[in-house]
Amino acid sequence: MIRTPLCDLLGIEYPVFQGGMAWIADGKLAAAVSEGGGLGIIAAGNAPGDAVREQIQVAKSLTSRPFGVNIMLMSPFVEEVAQVVAEEKVAVVTTGAGNPTKYMALWKEAVVASVAMAKLMTRLGASALIAEGGESGGHVGELTTMVLVPQICDATTLPVIAAGGIADGRGVAAAFMLGACGVQMGTRVLS
């Protein structure tokens, strides 16, 4: 596996993120992926802050390596989860289903499904962007991953992580060829 600047930015061995799959990606899975050299992600989904804090504590007990939390911005618990993630000093925060502008002062990673959102997150100080195509559960945007990734890479100077439908080495190679410096995989991590 190649090493990219994303690895140095996040302190990981491989430029591979585990997707934040609601009700599946818990502290144990995130810790296992992080221990394997990637970046494990806990999915907050619609869980309240205390439940997310519990999963963060599980991950911290199982790994000293960096991991992240994915926050669904349409969750009724988004305010408390955003605060919990900041209090727990989680290394990486990713978001979905909304605009994270309000929370950027607390954390700096963002999932984007359009060039306009990529430009906004760049201006707001994001550290990196996840370009997530519609293959990622189909709930993010209308563009496919392989169409979206080069557009986002052209629109920002930030590191870009490709997500959505990447399930094997060919998809990883394609993402790198399109300008991404890392990939995020969800379902593939479970098999």
Side-chain angles (χ1 to χ4, degrees), residues 13 15 23 37 47 58-59 86 88 106 109 114 116 124-125 138 144 168 178:
E13 291 177 53
W23 309 115
V58 167
E88 293 290 333
L106 291 175
E109 296 289 322
S114 72
L124 292 174
T144 64
D168 60 18
L178 294 172

Side-chain angles (χ1 to χ4, degrees), residues 47-72:
D50 289 341
V52 175
R53 187 183 308 272
E54 181 180 318
Q55 291 306 310
I56 292 169
Q57 294 298 323
V58 167
K60 284 181 175 180
S61 74
L62 297 172
T63 187
S64 60
R65 294 182 176 201
F67 64 88
V69 172
N70 176 263
I71 300 175
M72 187 178 75

